[in-house]
Amino acid sequence: DIQMTQSPSSLSASVGDRVTITCRASQAIETYLNWYQQKPGKTPKLLIYGASSLQSGVPSRFSGSGSGTDFTLTISSLQAEDFAAYFCQQTYSTPLYTFGQGTKLELK
Amino acid sequence: QVQLVQSGAEVKKPGASVKVSCKASGDTFTLSAIHWVRQAPGQRLEWMGWINAGPGNTKYSQKFQDRVTITRDTSASTVYMELRSLRSEDTAVYYCAKDIYSGGYYHFDYWGQGTLLTVSS
């Protein structure tokens, strides 16, 4: 199975900050990379698919980039509702879709 | 609008088995691919396996290959995930999720509400 490694595991930031989360794949996955946001007690919500395409309805402060093995999720200006956990997911090895270990974004 | 409704919370003893169901509505069941993902408290989402609901073919993570079986009942539009030889580390919320192919990529668009499995003696 393809292994996905996210960094950092946790991150403290303030409203208005620019935040970047990184995801690395154990082998090249082209741009078959999704990003999800998960709030406590809720199911994950898709933010970005295909490494850089913004899901409909997701605010434009979220953006994704990367290809091959290295990817980033950037939140340009943190809002209060963005404090949550973020997970990357590879969909290169259909249908074995593995996730990163998650990044918990907390209020500083 | 697709809905995935899972069975309720379970408490099992180590060594036992559990079977969790996921009933789909609002879509053509036999055209669906349903995945099972689990999440231990504070941990990552862990992909366990998948079933193509029409033909019934499956694929499992190497980690769970020997202990998990995913099946479906097309007449009931329901997918089942059975996990055997339970241990305390299997305590987690188990989700079913439906994938969608959009814009050249797959992603999970609908999720069940989750089923909490507690394994304890």
Side-chain angles (χ1 to χ4, degrees):
Chain A
D1 299 358
I2 297 174
Q3 307 303 313
M4 306 300 293
T5 304
Q6 281 181 240
S7 61
S9 297
S10 63
L11 178 58
S12 295
S14 302
V15 172
D17 284 354
R18 180 184 180 89
V19 165
T20 297
I21 298 169
T22 298
C23 180
R24 174 166 288 174
S26 60
Q27 66 182 74
I29 58 170
E30 299 181 24
T31 53
Y32 293 93
L33 192 284
N34 301 325
W35 288 99
Y36 294 85
Q37 176 194 68
Q38 187 182 29
K39 296 185 177 180
K42 301 293 187 182
T43 58
K45 170 189 171 185
L46 181 73
L47 301 174
I48 301 284
Y49 65 93
S52 61
S53 296
L54 193 67
Q55 171 70 348
S56 176
V58 173
S60 59
R61 62 181 180 272
F62 291 93
S63 64
S65 65
S67 67
T69 60
D70 295 307
F71 302 88
T72 59
L73 172 70
T74 299
I75 309 172
S76 60
S77 179
L78 271 174
Q79 302 300 301
E81 61 268 29
D82 299 336
F83 292 96
Y86 293 85
F87 295 90
C88 61
Q89 177 198 38
Q90 65 79 21
T91 59
Y92 178 81
S93 61
T94 308
L96 284 77
Y97 302 152
T98 47
F99 293 87
Q101 81 275 20
T103 295
K104 188 173 182 181
L105 182 52
E106 298 173 309
L107 180 62
K108 187 183 287 183
Chain B
Q1 182 77 359
V2 175
Q3 267 200 312
L4 300 176
V5 178
Q6 297 182 223
S7 49
E10 301 265 11
V11 179
K12 296 291 183 181
K13 293 192 182 301
S17 299
V18 69
K19 194 169 188 177
V20 181
S21 67
C22 172
K23 183 174 176 59
S25 63
D27 200 351
T28 307
F29 178 75
T30 54
L31 299 179
S32 299
I34 301 293
H35 301 252
W36 287 90
V37 176
R38 78 176 189 181
Q39 189 172 36
Q43 300 300 310
R44 76 167 69 200
L45 296 160
E46 194 168 25
W47 186 86
M48 300 179 68
W50 160 97
I51 187 165
N52 191 344
N57 55 306
T58 56
K59 192 85 172 177
Y60 303 116
S61 168
Q62 283 186 344
K63 178 176 179 177
F64 300 102
Q65 179 80 37
D66 296 334
R67 296 198 296 138
V68 72
T69 303
I70 300 173
T71 56
R72 94 287 191 228
D73 179 346
T74 54
S75 65
S77 298
T78 300
V79 172
Y80 302 91
M81 186 281 298
E82 182 182 33
L83 188 62
R84 301 176 292 278
S85 302
L86 291 171
R87 35 218 192 215
S88 59
E89 309 89 89
D90 294 319
T91 294
V93 176
Y94 289 75
Y95 295 102
C96 59
K98 178 181 171 302
D99 70 17
I100 186 172
Y101 185 73
S102 175
Y105 299 94
Y106 282 100
H107 65 263
F108 292 169
D109 62 340
Y110 294 103
W111 296 72
Q113 82 276 20
T115 296
L116 175 62
L117 169 65
T118 303
V119 183
S120 174
S121 54

